[in-house]
């Protein structure tokens, strides 16, 4: 049998949470239920007690328990002092009281309450202390409390109430003083006329037992109160008053803030609209009115993707919906779409007012004061004209690239003509020195022509890749001087470096001059050897090394007193690229040049 045999669960809650030890028995003493307190003081579990009779826990046996089971009526109540035996055998004196009652099936049952004698005294002292603490707490609570008795007329209508007890906070919040024991119509004579609904509300709580709450504005004090009314007994109720002025002010400020936000949205230069968490339009600014022809009054409150109609001509999810509901099918309708953080932006086409336009949109979520998403906002921009202008710029740049490539191509061709003329001229002179001068000039022209050729072939019209350039240059120099690469072997260590034209031209001529000198003078009489060419980056600088293992420079060589046009040109070009030149002649000849890439100079 269960303590909850009836439908009222309140009794079960009281039974289980009671600080008193309670047993439920049949009229012959069989224990049917035991609450947690009974289990605690007796030392048994509930399962163990349900197997026992109440006589098993009483030291005096049946004789002193007969008072419980005497047939003195179903409402029989009695109490007596008895010795109780715990599970561990220890005994204690207790006051045991009983109450006979019938359950919903008319079974006669007995509730038995066991109180330790020493605990009763403790409870009396605790109750007294609790009352003091309660009164202290009652007086110092932030919320106002009023304990009242409702008064009804002969027809059962609420007509007045008496203040039985109020705390200090009640007096402070309401401005009412010395109200204890007085009727409200005496304290506030005009209240029934001013607030007749108060009487109806309080009376309804008394009659129904259902708690009610409402907000009340106290005009003289300029404060808002939240009032909760509870039934506390026959014709009695408790009113709890909470000062919610700050909350109401914050609520008002929030409303004003939202209004300001909507005003800002309304005056944004870009078409803008917003929806709430239900997909209903909550903002539709003037600019979007202008581009769509749909007025705000016709759009506010509309849902079911109504906001897509003025823009796309059909009702469907659009960018703003993708903020909270990613949809790959919808995303495919945007040619360029990208997410960042919690927002999304994309580009698409739309038939605004029947004319196809290119639109760029950006949508982000809206949050409430708790950080929960409660909607989204989208900004739209018609970029049709800017896209046309962008295309024109791209087309123009493409034309200029073609023009620059054509210039490089023509410069290269002209230099090749000059190189060919120089080569042709060598056939009409007999002096070796003159022939050498013409060949050197031809090599210099060729090194510059190759730069223009690389620029023409490259996708970058401003930088030269030196890996390919140096390889081609060395091959042409070997060919020009009729050198067998197996006898004089070139060794290249060129990093994947790109140099701008300002630096590439002088650097290319330097390489051409120094490698030419090695090919002409370092290996006389068919001598074999190697020429090492290296170009590497070091932090923000570059290092060019050209070294051979030939016979080296003459003993009386003075770099500051040059009569060689080639080496003088190397020195001047090194200065031109702000470089530092070092010459080592320990084994063969080594030129080391450290330089920086020159900045581009605007050409007029």
């Amino acid at each position: 049998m269960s303590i909850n045999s009836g439908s009222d669960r309140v009794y079960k809650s009281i039974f289980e949470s009671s600080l008193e030890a309670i047993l439920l028995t049949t009229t012959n003493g069989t224990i049917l239920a035991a609450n947690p307190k009974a289990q605690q003081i007796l030392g048994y579990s509930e399962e163990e007690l349900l197997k026992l009779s109440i006589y098993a826990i009483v030291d005096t046996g049946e004789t002193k328990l007969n008072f419980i089971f005497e047939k003195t009526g179903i409402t029989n109540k009695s109490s007596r002092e008895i010795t109780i035996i715990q599970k561990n055998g220890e005994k204690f004196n207790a006051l045991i009281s009983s109450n006979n009652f019938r359950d919903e099936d008319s079974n006669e049952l007995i509730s038995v309450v066991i109180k330790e004698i020493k605990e009763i005294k403790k409870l009396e002292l605790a109750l007294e202390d609790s009352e003091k603490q309660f009164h202290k707490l009652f007086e110092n609570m932030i919320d106002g409390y009023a304990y009242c008795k409702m008064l009804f007329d002969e027809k059962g209508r609420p007509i007045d109430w008496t203040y039985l007890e109020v705390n200090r906070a009640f007096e402070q919040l309401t401005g009412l003083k010395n109200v204890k024991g007085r009727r409200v119509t005496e304290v506030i004579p005009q209240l029934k006329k001013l607030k007749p609904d108060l009487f109806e509300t309080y009376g309804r709580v008394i009659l129904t037992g259902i708690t009610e709450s409402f907000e009340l504005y106290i005009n003289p004090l300029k404060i808002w109160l939240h009032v909760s009314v509870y039934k506390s007994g026959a014709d009695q109720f408790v009113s709890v008053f909470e000062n919610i002025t700050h909350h109401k002010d914050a609520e008002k400020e929030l409303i004003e803030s939202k209004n300001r936000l909507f005003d800002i949205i309304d005056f944004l230069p870009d078409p803008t609209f917003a929806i709430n968490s239900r997909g209903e339009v909550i903002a539709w600014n003037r600019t979007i009115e202008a581009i769509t022809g749909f007025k705000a009054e016709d759009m506010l409150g509309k849902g079911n993707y109504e906001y897509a109609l003025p823009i796309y001509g059909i009702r469907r999810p659009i960018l703003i919906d993708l903020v909270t509901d990613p949809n790959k099918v919808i995303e495919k309708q945007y040619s360029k779409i990208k997410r960042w953080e919690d927002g999304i932006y994309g580009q698409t086409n739309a038939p605004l007012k029947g004319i196809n336009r290119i639109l760029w949109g950006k949508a982000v979520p809206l949050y409430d004061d708790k950080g929960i998403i409660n909607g989204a906002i989208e900004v739209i921009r018609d970029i049709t004209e800017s896209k046309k202008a962008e295309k024109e710029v791209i087309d123009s740049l493409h034309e200029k690239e073609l023009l620059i490539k054509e210039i490089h191509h023509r410069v290269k061709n002209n230099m090749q003509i000059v190189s060919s003329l120089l080569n042709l001229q060598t056939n009409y002179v007999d002096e070796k020195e003159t022939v050498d001068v013409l060949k050197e000039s031809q090599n210099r022209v060729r090194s510059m022509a190759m730069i223009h050729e690389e620029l023409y072939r490259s996708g970058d019209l401003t930088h030269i890749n030196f890996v390919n350039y140096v390889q081609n240059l060395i091959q042409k120099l070997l060919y020009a001087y009729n050198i067998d690469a197996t006898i004089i072997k070139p060794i290249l260590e060129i990093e994947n470096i790109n140099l701008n034209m300002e630096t590439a031209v002088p650097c290319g001529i330097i390489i051409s001059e120094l490698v030419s000198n090695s090919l002409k003078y370092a290996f006389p009489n068919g001598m074999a050897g190697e020429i090492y060419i290296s170009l590497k980056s070091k932090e923000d600088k570059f290092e060019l090394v050209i070294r051979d293992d030939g016979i080296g420079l003459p003993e009386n060589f003075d770099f500051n007193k040059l009569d060689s046009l080639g080496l003088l040109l190397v020195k001047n070009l090194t200065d031109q690229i702000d470089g530092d030149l070092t010459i080592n002649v320990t084994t063969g000849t080594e030129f080391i040049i450290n330089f920086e890439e020159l900045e581009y100079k605007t050409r007029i």
Side-chain angles (χ1 to χ4, degrees), residues 37-191:
K37 183 64 176 180
Q39 298 168 39
Q40 177 190 342
I41 68 170
L42 296 174
Y44 292 94
S45 67
E46 185 176 23
E47 291 75 12
E48 292 172 329
L49 286 170
L50 296 182
K51 297 176 182 178
L52 300 176
S53 167
I54 194 169
Y55 297 104
I57 63 171
V58 178
D59 185 40
T60 53
E62 294 186 23
T63 55
K64 283 197 174 183
L65 282 179
N66 288 341
F67 79 95
I68 296 176
F69 306 109
E70 291 172 353
K71 303 293 183 178
T72 56
I74 197 64
T75 59
N76 176 46
K77 297 180 181 179
S78 54
S79 62
R80 190 167 301 178
E81 187 176 335
I82 275 182
T83 302
I84 299 294
I85 305 174
Q86 296 175 311
K87 181 180 179 180
N88 60 11
E90 294 184 4
K91 301 178 181 180
F92 66 89
N93 292 328
L95 185 65
I96 187 169
S97 59
S98 66
N99 182 32
N100 294 46
F101 67 96
R102 292 187 186 277
D103 65 10
E104 61 183 10
D105 298 323
S106 298
N107 298 312
E108 187 174 354
L109 304 175
I110 301 173
S111 65
V112 180
V113 180
I114 303 171
K115 297 181 181 179
E116 291 185 79
I117 297 296
K118 61 181 181 180
E119 291 298 323
I120 294 175
K121 200 66 181 175
K122 286 183 181 178
L123 288 173
E124 289 175 350
L125 293 172
L127 180 60
E128 183 181 349
D129 183 61
S130 176
E131 287 178 349
K132 289 180 181 178
Q133 292 295 328
F134 172 76
H135 190 267
K136 183 178 180 181
L137 178 65
F138 182 75
E139 282 299 317
N140 291 282
M141 294 190 77
I142 297 174
D143 293 339
Y145 282 79
Y147 179 44
C148 308
K149 180 178 178 62
M150 199 73 198
L151 303 176
F152 298 89
D153 63 13
E154 64 278 2
K155 294 184 179 180
R157 293 174 297 193
I159 57 171
D160 210 341
W161 68 79
T162 301
Y163 291 104
L164 302 179
E165 192 73 54
V166 298
N167 68 351
R168 189 180 299 123
F170 170 84
E171 294 179 341
Q172 293 171 344
L173 289 173
T174 63
L176 303 177
K177 306 290 184 182
N178 303 318
V179 299
K180 185 176 179 180
R182 298 169 64 189
R183 293 187 178 190
V184 70
T185 53
E186 177 189 351
V187 177
I188 312 174
Q190 300 297 317
L191 182 63

Side-chain angles (χ1 to χ4, degrees), residues 462 469-470 474 527 529 598:
T462 58
Y469 173 74
V470 174
I474 299 304
M527 177 181 174
L598 298 178

Side-chain angles (χ1 to χ4, degrees), residues 273 284 288 292 307-313 318 350-352 359 378 380:
F273 70 100
W284 189 266
I288 201 169
T292 63
Y307 41 82
L309 279 170
I311 305 170
Y312 299 100
I318 59 175
L352 286 177
L359 301 182
E378 180 176 344
I380 299 169

Side-chain angles (χ1 to χ4, degrees), residues 426-477:
T426 59
N427 296 324
Y428 294 93
V429 293
D430 297 325
E431 296 84 357
K432 183 178 182 304
E433 184 178 353
T434 304
V435 172
D436 289 343
V437 169
L438 290 173
K439 281 188 176 182
E440 289 172 1
S441 297
Q442 185 181 11
N443 289 335
R444 291 166 190 148
V445 171
R446 183 183 291 115
S447 69
M448 290 187 287
M450 287 175 62
I451 288 176
H452 287 280
E453 184 175 11
E454 287 291 328
L455 288 171
Y456 171 71
R457 296 178 183 278
S458 171
D460 184 350
L461 298 176
T462 58
H463 289 78
I464 302 296
N465 183 278
F466 254 61
V467 175
N468 297 329
Y469 173 74
V470 174
Q471 288 176 347
N472 292 334
L473 179 61
I474 299 304
Q475 287 178 1
K476 291 184 183 297
L477 289 175

